[in-house]
Amino acid sequence: MLGQVLLQGDAREQRSAVRQRCLLQGRLAFNLGSSTLDCMVRNISKTGARLVFNDPVALPHEFELRIEAQGAIHKARLVWSNGSAAGVRFV
């Protein structure tokens, strides 16, 4: 157990910006805005976010992430995905 805590701490330190936990409604827009997909933003930083989806999805490589509660629109690039969750980097 102690080893896991140390590994998690090391992983956080390697990020270029500190991520803050959140629970925000997000919407991905792609195909020139003609396609959208709802998600939950579970953590966010200046450089990226972790997104969670109700069902497994196939995501495009690049899209806009819109977070209305923050009045924010981020251009995002997919970094990783496991079907129902994804990590993105803001570009």
Side-chain angles (χ1 to χ4, degrees):
M1 186 108 167
L2 181 59
Q4 288 178 330
V5 172
L6 292 174
L7 289 175
Q8 289 175 351
D10 290 344
R12 286 186 201 135
E13 291 176 22
Q14 292 176 11
R15 291 184 173 152
S16 60
V18 176
R19 296 242 173 137
Q20 295 181 351
R21 289 186 201 179
C22 61
L23 186 59
L24 299 170
Q25 180 67 40
R27 176 167 288 161
L28 280 61
F30 48 99
N31 291 334
L32 301 174
S34 64
S35 299
T36 62
L37 184 61
D38 291 332
C39 68
M40 292 302 297
V41 181
R42 295 307 308 263
N43 68 38
I44 193 165
S45 73
K46 291 181 181 181
T47 60
R50 178 175 178 260
L51 312 177
V52 176
F53 303 90
N54 287 335
D55 298 305
V57 295
L59 298 173
H61 182 66
E62 291 189 350
F63 49 86
E64 283 187 345
L65 172 60
R66 300 175 181 172
I67 306 172
E68 288 190 32
Q70 294 182 334
I73 298 175
H74 302 279
K75 291 184 181 181
R77 180 172 293 139
L78 183 64
V79 175
W80 63 267
S81 174
N82 69 7
S84 60
V88 300
R89 177 177 302 274
F90 300 145
V91 293

